[in-house]
Amino acid sequence: MDSESNTSTGHVSRKAVLRAALAAGMAAPAVLMGVPALARTLSGGEAPLDLTPECDDGDDLTLPQMEGPYFKPNSPLRSSMPDGTGTRLTVGGYVFGRACRPVSGVLLDFWQADNNGAYDNTGFKFRGHQFTGADGSFKLTTIVPGLYPGRTRHIHVKVQAPGRPILTTQLYFPNEPRNNTDTIFDPRLLMTVRDGSGGREAAFDFVIDVPQNPGPTPTATTTTAPPGGTWTAGRAYAAGDRVTYGGVGYVCLQAHTAMGGWEPPNVPALWRVG
């Protein structure tokens, strides 16, 4: 094996498994149980994980997971999107930090095409955001997105931990013929997908840029309102609500309940200066 085949802890690297699976003509996720899902096999103090590939809006061709033209802010808070006909799909997984520990309170904002390959650009069909639970888990109930010219089947997502940068990326389906012709497709973003009861079941684990040290799962901390600020942890905000924080005015972009770590300067996915 080459130097990339084993980690310092003796685990076979995801890159090596992916290469072997592709060489054998196998569906990579069937071997990997979700490309980043081997994060679940590592325990505390072991080798740091690679990050899930970030999107850079196409500026860097080696990382082509762009946001695309169809993102809209202010998606509803929901984990189920029963917005049309199609094959039922459940996507579940975890969000891990660099030391393979789950991260709670992470914002995941999903959007996708409907069964006919069309995006709802006037409303919020097949758009929604949610937060990871105390164990870092998430679950999305939707349908298998349809195809449209130039692209393979995919789901868009923005991921942001409290006070950390936004990760924008796309999730893909194995064994899709268009995976071979879609110039944006990246096998590192393949989900594990299988037939389930009444539809299909998919799994994917995100590994994001959150520094972690040995200790308990990171959780939100209580934050007091800044002097003269109207933003308050624990309050439910609606899109369009205005607050002040540290002498600066902000406009709410997405309905949510505020919590420590989600102060307006820290979460551009939820607040903008205005």
Side-chain angles (χ1 to χ4, degrees):
M1 293 187 179
D2 59 31
S3 59
E4 295 178 339
S5 297
N6 288 319
T7 67
S8 61
T9 61
H11 288 287
V12 178
S13 72
R14 285 172 290 163
K15 183 180 291 185
V17 175
L18 178 61
R19 184 189 302 119
L22 294 177
M26 301 170 61
V31 177
L32 294 174
M33 291 300 291
V35 173
L38 288 183
R40 306 181 200 182
T41 69
L42 297 178
S43 60
E46 296 188 357
L49 296 169
D50 293 335
L51 303 182
T52 300
E54 286 194 10
C55 160
D56 61 354
D57 293 331
D59 293 335
D60 184 344
L61 298 179
T62 63
L63 298 172
Q65 302 310 305
M66 61 185 65
E67 175 182 286
Y70 302 120
F71 173 72
K72 289 178 57 176
N74 193 29
S75 68
L77 174 62
R78 58 177 179 169
S79 59
S80 179
M81 304 192 295
D83 296 322
T85 60
T87 302
R88 177 185 171 91
L89 173 70
T90 300
V91 183
Y94 295 84
V95 178
F96 294 101
R98 298 192 71 115
C100 193
R101 292 181 175 82
V103 187
S104 63
V106 175
L107 170 67
L108 297 104
D109 195 347
F110 294 96
W111 72 103
Q112 66 171 77
D114 64 17
N115 192 46
N116 297 315
Y119 289 85
D120 180 11
N121 296 318
T122 58
F124 291 94
K125 291 182 178 179
F126 296 111
R127 299 175 185 271
H129 72 276
Q130 60 181 277
F131 297 90
T132 56
D135 61 351
S137 67
F138 71 92
K139 183 177 182 181
L140 173 70
T141 301
T142 181
I143 65 166
V144 175
L147 294 166
Y148 57 92
R151 293 302 317 275
T152 191
R153 228 176 285 275
H154 62 281
I155 297 174
H156 295 268
V157 59
K158 287 181 178 285
V159 186
Q160 186 180 28
R164 304 300 298 175
I166 298 173
L167 163 67
T168 303
T169 193
Q170 303 179 36
L171 304 181
Y172 296 99
F173 295 76
N175 303 318
E176 287 286 331
R178 290 195 186 182
N179 288 351
N180 296 324
T181 59
D182 189 330
T183 58
I184 299 177
F185 169 75
D186 192 315
R188 292 171 294 179
L189 296 172
L190 281 166
M191 296 182 290
T192 301
V193 182
R194 67 179 184 180
D195 293 330
S197 177
R200 307 189 78 187
E201 299 174 353
F204 191 87
D205 293 342
F206 295 93
V207 180
I208 60 176
D209 191 7
V210 173
Q212 295 175 316
N213 295 314
T217 299
T219 55
T221 56
T222 302
T223 302
T224 57
T230 60
W231 179 89
T232 305
R235 177 179 172 182
Y237 289 101
D241 285 352
R242 294 179 177 274
V243 300
T244 57
Y245 185 93
V248 179
Y250 293 88
V251 178
C252 180
L253 298 177
Q254 302 204 95
H256 68 285
T257 298
M259 63 180 184
W262 292 105
E263 294 83 359
N266 295 334
V267 279
L270 298 178
W271 297 97
R272 66 171 172 81
V273 176

